[in-house]
Amino acid sequence: MVNYIWVGMAVIGIFYAMLTGRMEDVNEALFKSADDAVMLSISLISVLVFWLGLMRIAEVSGLLRKLTKLLRPIVTRFFPDIPPDHPAMGYILSNFTANLFGLGNAATPMGLKAMEQMKKLSGTDEASRSMITFLAINTSSVTLIPTTVIAIRMKYGSAEPTEIVGTTILATLVSTIGALLVDRLFYYRRVRRGKG
Amino acid sequence: MTFVTTVSTWIIPLLILTVLLYGTWKRVPTYETFVEGGKEGVKMAISLLPFLLGMMVSIAIFRASGAMEAFVSMLSPVLAFVGIPSDIVPLALVRPISGTAALGMTTELIQTFGPDSFIGRLASTMQGSTDTTLYVLTVYFGAVGIKKMGDALKVGLIADFIGIIASIIIVTIIFGT
């Protein structure tokens, strides 16, 4: 599906530019975005190196295992096919914790480590059940404090920049629960078709 | 507000402090371990590059050609009919595709309608309660080389839709129209 979306956006865009005569803009955007992507990857290096380095200390020292133990009863329910003591669980938990506090740049490296561990578990290049669940929770965003939005609201002179924290948490809660339900629904459909 | 800002500025340094002190207490060779773990980060960022570049270029073409605008204005009347305020429709459609575009739109909506207007609050809530599904999928699956995504994209997009509808209902109940 991602193949179709990817090709679709580019092809529709090029055809549309033919019709509207915006080919010049497309050319410019094409190379600028390629540039931006390189810059983004490079700037990710700093974040990834820092957090993965720190996380390694947490892992070796046993801190990560302690955190896992604390939150394990809840999270094992979401990921029944991951053994409770597997390192994947620790990274999943750290990713959720970082997301909760809006530490986006700390959450990504931990999410990547979690994926890596889950891939080791499944051993294929196909998304496993737990990977899909993990992504569903991540895409529905589990932020408690939307710092960026608060900053924008402050900039435009809101009387109460943080008043949206409550509504955001509620909406996040609904979308995360929704994501988990939809995820389960799709999972049982896969099982019924015999490829769970 | 002061509490929130204090929490968000203190949390990272405190986390670092905890990890470093705990590591030292457990006699972990902290610096060497840090470097060893960090090396993985370099590899990861580089392996991500093609995935990010491919996705970002495709989105850029879609946007620059004006096709994204056309797509949004085509769907607007339909969604407005369902009761989704027409001003928020573009943001709702773009949020799963592009994080930067969505942040730009949120900023624009807040600027135009005011942060404390219904649309301003709705845009803020929507921006905070969903994530860019396409980006999350690209990065997470790209880094570890998952080629078959299974139902991940469908699940993600449906979750986005649920989040958007939930934002509208919740903001309407709490702040009124």
Side-chain angles (χ1 to χ4, degrees):
Chain A
M1 191 177 178
V2 86
N3 289 317
Y4 293 119
I5 289 190
W6 187 64
V7 172
M9 283 192 300
V11 170
I12 293 170
I14 292 170
F15 273 122
Y16 200 81
M18 280 180 199
L19 296 173
T20 51
R22 291 173 77 164
M23 212 50 106
E24 203 115 319
D25 299 323
V26 168
N27 267 317
E28 198 182 310
L30 212 156
F31 291 106
K32 191 175 171 301
S33 66
D35 238 27
D36 288 346
V38 175
M39 290 307 291
L40 182 61
S41 306
I42 301 283
S43 66
L44 272 176
I45 293 181
S46 60
V47 174
L48 286 172
V49 168
F50 181 75
W51 286 108
L52 290 183
L54 208 65
M55 281 305 286
R56 180 61 63 87
I57 300 176
E59 193 189 340
V60 174
S61 64
L63 194 63
L64 201 62
R65 227 172 311 131
K66 275 210 158 141
L67 174 79
T68 317
K69 244 182 218 155
L70 210 68
L71 294 165
R72 199 161 52 196
I74 314 160
V75 183
T76 39
R77 281 167 195 277
F78 297 150
F79 302 95
D81 53 347
I82 299 179
D85 280 319
H86 198 272
M89 213 53 115
Y91 288 116
I92 289 175
L93 285 168
S94 336
N95 168 271
F96 288 168
T97 319
N99 264 328
L100 275 178
F101 290 105
L103 312 175
N105 61 359
T108 310
M110 295 167 197
L112 294 180
K113 287 296 279 185
M115 288 299 270
E116 205 178 77
Q117 294 292 337
M118 285 189 262
K119 198 189 175 189
K120 266 186 200 158
L121 268 176
S122 72
T124 61
D125 59 359
E126 211 167 322
S128 66
R129 178 191 181 181
S130 40
M131 285 180 187
I132 299 175
T133 308
F134 178 69
L135 280 171
I137 296 174
N138 255 285
T139 58
S140 72
S141 165
V142 274
T143 316
L144 278 186
I145 302 156
T147 27
T148 325
V149 176
I150 294 172
I152 297 172
R153 294 176 59 81
M154 281 170 81
K155 193 177 147 206
Y156 289 103
S158 169
E160 195 71 68
T162 50
E163 68 179 0
I164 48 91
V165 171
T167 53
T168 304
I169 292 175
L170 280 175
T172 298
L173 209 66
V174 174
S175 72
T176 305
I177 293 171
L180 283 169
L181 290 176
V182 173
D183 173 54
R184 283 291 184 270
L185 214 74
F186 274 98
Y187 171 71
Y188 289 120
R189 208 184 61 161
R190 283 201 299 279
V191 170
R192 246 183 291 127
R193 287 180 180 171
K195 38 178 196 174
Chain B
M1 188 59 216
T2 41
F3 174 72
V4 175
T5 23
T6 313
V7 167
S8 35
T9 45
W10 277 65
I11 195 152
I12 289 183
L14 285 180
L15 189 72
I16 297 169
L17 200 68
T18 313
V19 172
L20 292 182
L21 289 179
Y22 193 82
T24 310
W25 182 50
K26 290 282 173 184
R27 298 188 188 282
V28 173
T30 43
Y31 184 64
E32 279 114 339
T33 312
F34 176 85
V35 172
E36 189 203 322
K39 276 182 189 164
E40 264 178 72
V42 183
K43 261 188 270 165
M44 234 171 216
I46 298 298
S47 68
L48 268 178
L49 205 159
F51 292 95
L52 274 176
L53 193 144
M55 199 47 85
M56 283 170 75
V57 168
S58 181
I59 291 168
I61 295 174
F62 193 56
R63 269 173 78 189
S65 66
M68 191 187 267
E69 262 171 72
F71 173 69
V72 163
S73 59
M74 204 174 70
L75 278 182
S76 286
V78 184
L79 293 175
F81 183 75
V82 187
I84 299 176
S86 59
D87 293 306
I88 209 80
V89 172
L91 176 64
L93 288 175
V94 163
R95 188 74 185 97
I97 305 173
S98 165
T100 41
L103 191 63
M105 278 181 184
T106 302
T107 313
E108 211 174 273
L109 286 172
I110 287 176
Q111 193 182 14
T112 315
F113 294 92
D116 300 328
S117 65
F118 178 71
I119 291 291
R121 285 165 173 161
L122 185 53
S124 309
T125 304
M126 237 181 234
Q127 176 73 27
S129 66
T130 55
D131 209 329
T132 314
T133 301
L134 218 50
Y135 174 83
V136 174
L137 255 60
T138 305
V139 170
Y140 282 178
F141 280 157
V144 294
I146 294 295
K147 298 201 178 73
K148 292 178 193 142
M149 291 198 181
D151 293 324
L153 186 60
K154 269 176 255 169
V155 175
L157 290 179
I158 296 173
D160 283 335
F161 186 71
I162 296 173
I164 286 159
I165 301 293
S167 305
I168 295 171
I169 295 171
I170 290 164
V171 173
T172 308
I173 292 173
I174 293 186
F175 295 115
T177 27

